[in-house]
Amino acid sequence: MVETQVLIVGAGPVGLTLALDLGQRGVRCVLIERNEASIQLPKMERCNARTMEIYRRLGIAEKIRDAGLPRGAPMDVFLATSMADPALAHLPCSSVAEAKNEIAAHNDGRPLEPYQLISQYTLEPLLRSFVEGLPNVTVLFGCELESFIQESDSVIAHVRTSKGADATIRTAYLIGCDGGSSTVRKQLGIQLVGEGNIRKLRQALFHCPDLYERIPMGKGRHYHIAEGPVFPFIILQDSTRHWTLHATASSDAEMAEIFRRSLGMPVEFDMLSVNEWTQHLLCAERYGEGRVFIAGDAAHLVIPTGGLGMNTGVGDAVDLSWKLAATLAGWGGPQLLASYEKERRPIGLRNVKASRAAMSGRLSWRAAHHPDIRKDTPEGAAIRAEMARRFDVEQRKVTEILGIEAGYRYVGSPIAWHEPGEGPDPDNPEYVPTTWPGARLPHVWLDRSVTPDNAATTYNPATTHNRTALHDHLGTGYSLLRLGGTRVDTAILEKALSATGAPLEVLDIRDEAAREIYGFDLVLVRPDLHIVWRGSQVPHDAQAIAAVATGQIAATDSAANRKASG
Ligand SMILES: Cc1cc2nc3c(=O)[nH]c(=O)nc-3n(C[C@H](O)[C@H](O)[C@H](O)COP(=O)(O)OP(=O)(O)OC[C@H]3O[C@@H](n4cnc5c(N)ncnc54)[C@H](O)[C@@H]3O)c2cc1C
């Protein structure tokens, strides 16, 4: 029997990210995937800002950018009556190079990394190559989970290889990253709640090498064709020579015809594949049971409008990963793994809601369509103007949601200190930096030196414009940030945290920008860069903070809890 610490089922982007994070934390894992090879069909194509920050911490962001859409390529979104016609509406979106320059030019707490367009069929094999380089992770393709049994101290999983051999794997924890039809979720008897089977679409992949250079309205990533009721939607893939088309069509062959019509000019192409996919807005009623958890599409299914599918799953993976590692290392208390569902399910529900809003925005501008839209008449012009006006407002619900992508906060988490009051709106589509406990630590550029108590653990420092990103100085354990030259003695808190056995670094950050953005002299950050506690004095009950941070006890709104806030 194979024995491991964590068995991950499914080598989609979420299972691969989880394996990478766990593997880098030194956890022994087995990753099984029922298919013989990584995905061949196109699905997602945009890693959002938060996912790219996560990949930066894993040391792979620039490798992903090297494999993805060239850094200088515009990410604009267009509405037009065909690819050959002038744009009716145009939403300019920065290229990665432009966005990086903007990030470098500002120190206002905005996310450290911009998005990256990379096709799922490029991303998955790349992530797989990183995971396969980790000595403590075993990757088995052509190996399907059939069933599992939970025991008091382990899970016994029965798997079958594509050659028909049966095997058993004993694992301390089992994580189902096995997609929308998750075997793990079904075996746990967990239902999906929300709206299923909303509509079926066809997606076709085209090789059309000349198109990118020939689009009169300009280069971009998304082209919406104003042709109802089909509404062809053409998406640039990372090579710039491949394109996908999403549309309602009655047959696969019709997809080639719709693509030809949408081009509106003679351009050669080959249709490489067609597949059907179904839109859902669903979230699992629970995220696990006992030693078994679910993550990614196994736990939530969104309409990809807004790109909150894989990106939400990557957030699940890094929330779960350090909690598993801490529990296996012995210092993680019982609240750590219990907090996974309490933190991530509300984000799953919130992102389903944001995806619904993005989709209804799209439906709203589509409703302005009229068959006379192409006519060279005042009526035709009025239809085009109205659709463009609505597009300019409604399509932003898809492209301008940085707050949803990077501003999520674990409201009411048992492992984040509860402060009195409501805190900033956790559903704000606009990103507003905050250090309210449960939020992700905002990015800050540092001009002046950082003094970690153990310089050897400094994390992947990268300089930009002679400055370093604070995120890059934070290690894989907890970080206590001492800001603005504070002279407060934090020894009691440090001692309380160290007594739990949890890894802790203390960083003195004299930089004024950090103190200004963070608003407090002291900030305690956990391994996934979410904030546990903040204050400006040494807390009276440092042990309670340490116990909440490491999941020994659950945070409450008790008076003692509030008293400890500095
Ligand atoms: C058209 C389209 C466009 C999209 N665009 C975006 C986008 O731009 N941004 C975004 O964030 N998301 C997007 N998504 C969603 C994104 O593709 C999914 O959210 C993502 O693939 C989920 O990753 P996952 O790893 O959770 O699951 P999956 O990618 O579904 O991977 C699950 C894996 O588990 C394997 N598996 C299943 N059962 C078993 C078993 N019993 N044993 C072993 N292995 C098993 C499967 O073979 C599969 O490889 C899009 C989706 C579609 C359809």
Side-chain angles (χ1 to χ4, degrees):
M1 185 190 299
V2 177
E3 303 233 348
T4 191
Q5 291 183 300
V6 180
L7 172 62
I8 303 166
V9 182
V14 176
L16 286 161
T17 303
L18 179 61
L20 190 57
D21 199 316
L22 281 171
Q24 289 192 0
R25 288 177 188 280
V27 174
R28 276 185 298 114
C29 314
V30 174
L31 170 62
I32 59 168
E33 165 56 52
R34 69 179 168 199
N35 293 333
E36 292 284 354
S38 294
I39 189 172
Q40 310 289 318
L41 293 172
K43 275 172 86 180
M44 62 69 64
E45 89 286 348
R46 194 181 68 107
C47 293
N48 71 23
R50 179 61 186 135
T51 295
M52 290 309 294
E53 279 188 350
I54 288 166
Y55 286 149
R56 179 180 176 122
R57 275 184 74 69
L58 290 168
I60 59 171
E62 290 310 313
K63 290 178 186 137
I64 286 176
R65 295 199 189 283
D66 290 343
L69 186 72
R71 290 167 175 79
M75 292 281 283
D76 298 17
V77 176
F78 294 94
L79 171 69
T81 42
S82 85
M83 299 287 273
D85 293 331
L88 298 178
H90 173 198
L91 301 184
C93 299
S94 310
S95 66
V96 165
E98 289 165 346
K100 281 212 164 213
N101 284 339
E102 280 293 299
I103 291 166
H106 292 86
N107 204 4
D108 52 7
R110 67 183 61 196
L112 171 58
E113 289 284 340
Y115 43 58
Q116 175 63 48
L117 192 154
I118 180 165
S119 306
Q120 192 157 337
Y121 55 69
T122 308
L123 180 64
E124 284 191 20
L126 188 62
L127 290 175
R128 179 180 171 181
S129 71
F130 301 139
V131 173
E132 285 178 334
L134 293 167
N136 47 333
V137 184
T138 305
V139 181
L140 302 173
F141 271 62
C143 182
E144 179 164 8
L145 175 82
E146 298 238 295
S147 62
F148 60 86
I149 305 163
Q150 294 210 53
E151 298 188 338
S152 59
D153 59 349
S154 62
V155 183
I156 311 290
H158 299 285
V159 301
R160 171 164 289 187
T161 68
S162 46
K163 296 194 174 71
D166 292 318
T168 305
I169 302 175
R170 180 190 287 275
T171 178
Y173 295 97
L174 184 150
I175 318 299
C177 301
D178 47 350
S181 57
S182 171
T183 306
V184 176
R185 186 189 67 232
K186 286 178 188 159
Q187 208 188 307
L188 290 177
I190 297 175
Q191 305 298 315
L192 291 170
V193 291
E195 295 167 72
N197 299 311
I198 296 168
R199 89 178 52 77
K200 265 196 176 11
L201 287 177
R202 274 188 167 76
Q203 169 185 250
L205 176 65
F206 295 93
H207 183 232
C208 187
D210 298 336
L211 178 59
Y212 191 60
E213 298 299 334
R214 290 187 46 195
I215 309 167
M217 75 187 104
K219 292 189 170 81
R221 72 175 161 121
H222 284 176
Y223 295 84
H224 295 272
I225 307 299
E227 183 210 301
V230 176
F231 292 112
F233 175 27
I234 296 175
I235 303 177
L236 175 70
Q237 299 299 311
D238 52 19
S239 69
T240 72
R241 295 163 161 257
H242 293 87
W243 299 81
T244 51
L245 165 70
H246 292 263
T248 45
S250 52
S251 68
D252 288 0
E254 199 191 335
M255 291 297 280
E257 192 40 47
I258 294 171
F259 191 62
R260 193 185 316 280
R261 208 163 62 225
S262 302
L263 292 177
M265 55 186 165
V267 188
E268 282 186 20
F269 63 83
D270 287 321
M271 189 163 76
L272 304 180
S273 67
V274 185
N275 63 298
E276 267 196 304
W277 65 282
T278 308
Q279 296 183 336
H280 309 281
L281 288 166
L282 295 166
C283 190
E285 57 181 358
R286 290 178 289 129
Y287 271 29
E289 191 177 300
R291 296 179 162 271
V292 179
F293 299 90
I294 53 173
D297 273 19
H300 39 73
L301 287 163
V302 299
I303 298 176
T305 318
L308 295 169
M310 178 204 86
N311 287 303
T312 307
V314 167
D316 297 340
V318 294
D319 186 85
L320 190 52
S321 176
W322 72 273
K323 294 172 181 174
L324 286 166
T327 308
L328 286 161
W331 59 262
Q335 293 297 328
L336 273 197
L337 284 174
S339 73
Y340 168 63
E341 174 177 316
K342 291 178 181 143
E343 294 190 339
R344 293 304 303 176
R345 185 166 183 269
I347 303 304
L349 289 166
R350 161 193 187 263
N351 289 1
V352 165
K353 198 169 128 199
S355 166
R356 180 183 292 115
M359 192 60 210
S360 57
R362 181 174 290 176
L363 294 177
S364 154
W365 65 254
R366 284 181 176 176
H369 182 265
H370 186 280
D372 292 344
I373 190 160
R374 297 186 71 98
K375 284 204 172 144
D376 194 9
T377 59
E379 292 74 24
I383 295 161
R384 291 192 290 277
E386 175 58 12
M387 193 186 252
R389 189 193 64 73
R390 287 201 204 179
F391 186 92
D392 193 60
V393 176
E394 298 294 338
Q395 193 63 21
R396 291 179 198 274
K397 292 178 185 161
V398 182
T399 54
E400 295 179 13
I401 53 169
L402 191 57
I404 301 293
E405 295 173 349
Y408 49 85
R409 180 160 66 86
Y410 298 138
V411 178
S413 166
I415 60 163
W417 200 254
H418 290 193
E419 284 191 9
E422 287 295 307
D425 175 9
D427 297 339
N428 190 350
E430 195 183 319
Y431 178 72
V432 180
T434 177
T435 51
W436 194 280
R440 165 196 142 279
L441 184 78
H443 151 61
V444 176
W445 291 119
L446 300 177
D447 277 328
R448 298 178 61 186
S449 64
V450 176
T451 323
D453 61 346
N454 176 0
T457 55
T458 298
Y459 196 85
N460 189 23
T463 37
T464 311
H465 294 213
N466 294 324
R467 295 178 301 177
T468 57
L470 174 53
H471 278 196
D472 289 340
H473 291 277
L474 305 183
T476 52
Y478 292 85
S479 304
L480 176 61
L481 310 183
R482 296 166 45 90
L483 297 149
T486 180
R487 303 176 90 91
V488 164
D489 182 358
T490 48
I492 322 167
L493 182 57
E494 292 169 38
K495 216 168 131 199
L497 279 157
S498 298
T500 67
L504 170 72
E505 280 179 74
V506 182
L507 291 93
D508 268 305
I509 297 154
R510 289 181 291 281
D511 200 286
E512 278 158 25
R515 173 63 183 80
E516 197 179 316
I517 290 168
Y518 295 165
F520 288 79
D521 290 343
L522 303 171
V523 180
L524 179 62
V525 186
R526 57 191 220 187
D528 61 352
L529 298 197
H530 283 257
I531 293 152
V532 180
W533 170 87
R534 61 186 180 169
S536 290
Q537 311 163 14
V538 179
H540 300 296
D541 191 0
Q543 276 177 348
I545 291 176
V548 165
T550 54
Q552 309 295 338
I553 60 167
T556 65
D557 286 320
S558 71
N561 189 328
R562 282 199 289 276
K563 209 169 96 193
S565 293

